[in-house]
Amino acid sequence: MTMDSQLTMYITLVSVSGVFNAFLSLYVFFRRSEIPGARTFIIYTIALSIYSFAYAFELASDTLWKVKLWTVIQYMGMPFAAPLGLMLILHYLGWKVSRKGAAALLVVPSITWLMVATNDYHHLFYKVIRLKENLPSPLLDIEIGEWYIVHGIYTFSCLLAAAALLLSRWKQTRKSYRLQLFTLICGQLIPMVTAFLYLVGATPAGIDPVPMVMCITSGLYIWAILSIKMLTVIPIAKETIFDSMGEGVIVLDSAERLIDYNRAVGRMIPSLRPAMLGRTLDQVWTELTGASFPFIRQPDGSAEELAWTSNGMERFYEVRSSVLRHRNGEQAGSLLMLINVTELKRLQQELEHQAFYDGLTQIFNRTQFIRRGREMLAESLRLGNPFTVMLFDIDFFKRVNDNFGHETGDKLIVHVVSTCRRLLSADMLFARYGGEEFVLALPSSPLLDGSSIAERLRAELEAHPLLTAGGEIAVTASFGVAQAEIGRDETLDTLLRKADEALYASKRNGRNRVSEYAAQGPTPAMR
């Protein structure tokens, strides 16, 4: 093939690249309302078109003056293409580039164009630029300058950064998006590799092959846009919707392998890492917690509750599972949705606490004592063990309220509870029965004597007055004890009535004493 025919072929290929990029620019312009990032893509393809067409005219030039003119025009597009391509990739990956960031990326290309346009005055871009002699077609013989190296490093950095970012997202990208991701990777790698081969002299001398291979990359873009709707389905479904959801989403394939998760899950479970993609859910969970996934997922969407502790804080998530299916109905995998219900759970726990515990003393209230006391009584009757209930109230409590005020009365109630708690074991059911009255149920054990425990409590209270700013306030209490008779179907209500009778017997007999209910009626137990 003669030099002229080769040059004609080069010019044709470069012109086709320009036409392809012009077509892409017009196509996206007329559909810009439905294509995210359309403005960046339009400017990017315009820059490539200018580069291609200007290079074609440069190849067709027959004088050095024309070559220099078309080189200046060529550099109105070529140095801007790489950073614009990087911006396009950043947009594709969901990273917003601010105006200041975009301007910063275009500083070096702008300086490059000025350097080329004024090269005859400083020779910082081309030290020497001349036409090769004794050739049938004009080709350039150039010696590069200092800024040419800066321009080359910057262009390679932008192309490499874009390709690296795309490659880093390969494993995280669902299979349905990988074809367009591959197209974008080729669009960055092919020009970069070709430019490298050109610089090391592995391409025809004097010919820049990059505009020619852009014919391939532009063709790929056209095919991808028309066939797989690249750009119109820029991972909106993933980045804008999937990753912007407040609920956490975990995607599993049909083999229960983790293939994707959104940013919300990353915040919910910070130890979950992209490196875990491809492992089964149980393998991932074992690595995270030391155990397999905690419950069997139901395909009907029924919810399970998952507790997770991160940074010392316990959080609660409602987990719902749903099946993903192909269009033919075949199961493709499953979806786990994690909904943060921590605040709801805490509110529920707070309401339960208010329902079960006394607000002042934080011990069980009467309602919870009745519920738990019946369970304890049933267990004692089943085992044939004694079951004891005692009621006690603070002596002369009304006088404290009248003489010192209700705030001091509340402090006295809290003081009584804290004093009693020092003597009670965790398995004893202790509750505020109402006002200044308290109730205690002993667990099922033949070794526990209700009257002895009541006496110890009475003595402890008497020995520890309430200390106030106005001095000490003596504390005494009257106790009534009742024990279920073995072999009889006692009820908790019956035992409480018997303990109440014994309590009033203590009051009638002078207070600050313990009385035990016997079959013939309440009798003093000790003191």
Side-chain angles (χ1 to χ4, degrees), residues 33 37 69 91 129 188 227 286 303-304 327 343 376 411 415:
S33 61
L69 173 64
H91 181 82
I129 178 169
Q188 300 300 312
S227 63
T286 300
E304 297 280 356
R327 290 182 179 179
E343 292 304 317
M376 290 176 65
K411 290 180 180 179
H415 171 75

Side-chain angles (χ1 to χ4, degrees), residues 368-379:
Q368 188 66 357
F369 175 84
I370 298 295
R371 187 179 72 82
R372 292 180 178 239
R374 285 171 178 164
E375 294 173 357
M376 290 176 65
L377 175 59
E379 179 69 8

Side-chain angles (χ1 to χ4, degrees), residues 217-424:
T217 58
S218 300
L220 279 173
Y221 283 160
I222 291 173
W223 167 79
I225 287 175
L226 296 179
S227 63
I228 60 175
K229 303 299 181 184
M230 188 182 79
L231 298 183
T232 55
V233 290
I234 260 180
I236 294 180
K238 183 176 191 303
E239 301 294 344
T240 306
I241 299 176
F242 185 66
D243 275 345
S244 299
M245 292 175 65
E247 297 82 10
V249 180
I250 294 175
V251 184
L252 306 174
D253 65 10
S254 56
E256 293 289 292
R257 291 187 296 257
L258 177 65
I259 60 172
D260 206 356
Y261 61 89
N262 67 354
R263 291 176 185 170
V265 170
R267 292 190 296 269
M268 293 172 174
I269 308 175
S271 47
L272 191 63
R273 306 183 305 279
M276 295 177 175
L277 295 174
R279 304 178 195 173
T280 65
L281 180 62
D282 280 342
Q283 288 173 337
V284 170
W285 219 256
T286 300
E287 185 171 340
L288 293 175
T289 67
S292 56
F293 199 66
F295 44 78
I296 298 174
R297 293 177 288 110
Q298 302 296 330
D300 59 0
S302 55
E304 297 280 356
E305 188 176 279
L306 175 69
W308 187 268
T309 301
S310 175
N311 299 323
M313 292 184 62
E314 186 177 38
R315 294 179 174 84
F316 297 91
Y317 302 109
E318 183 182 274
V319 182
R320 293 182 180 273
S321 177
S322 58
V323 176
L324 297 176
R325 298 188 182 278
H326 294 296
R327 290 182 179 179
N328 60 6
E330 183 181 347
Q331 183 171 341
S334 56
L335 202 69
L336 293 184
M337 182 169 286
L338 279 67
I339 304 170
N340 192 337
V341 293
T342 304
E343 292 304 317
L344 183 62
K345 182 72 175 179
R346 286 175 182 161
L347 178 60
Q348 179 184 346
Q349 290 173 340
E350 184 179 338
L351 292 174
E352 287 178 355
H353 187 86
Q354 292 174 0
F356 297 158
Y357 291 85
D358 174 59
L360 178 63
T361 62
Q362 299 306 308
I363 61 175
F364 287 126
N365 59 22
R366 178 172 182 160
T367 302
Q368 188 66 357
F369 175 84
I370 298 295
R371 187 179 72 82
R372 292 180 178 239
R374 285 171 178 164
E375 294 173 357
M376 290 176 65
L377 175 59
E379 179 69 8
S380 296
L381 294 176
R382 186 181 67 81
L383 297 175
N385 289 334
F387 179 78
T388 303
V389 169
M390 67 178 72
L391 285 170
F392 69 95
D393 68 8
I394 303 170
D395 294 332
F396 305 113
F397 179 74
K398 187 176 183 302
R399 292 182 186 175
V400 175
N401 274 338
D402 292 342
N403 295 334
F404 300 98
H406 288 279
E407 183 179 351
T408 301
D410 289 345
K411 290 180 180 179
L412 178 58
I413 289 173
V414 173
H415 171 75
V416 168
V417 169
S418 61
T419 302
C420 292
R421 272 182 156 175
R422 291 198 293 266
L423 297 179
L424 300 177

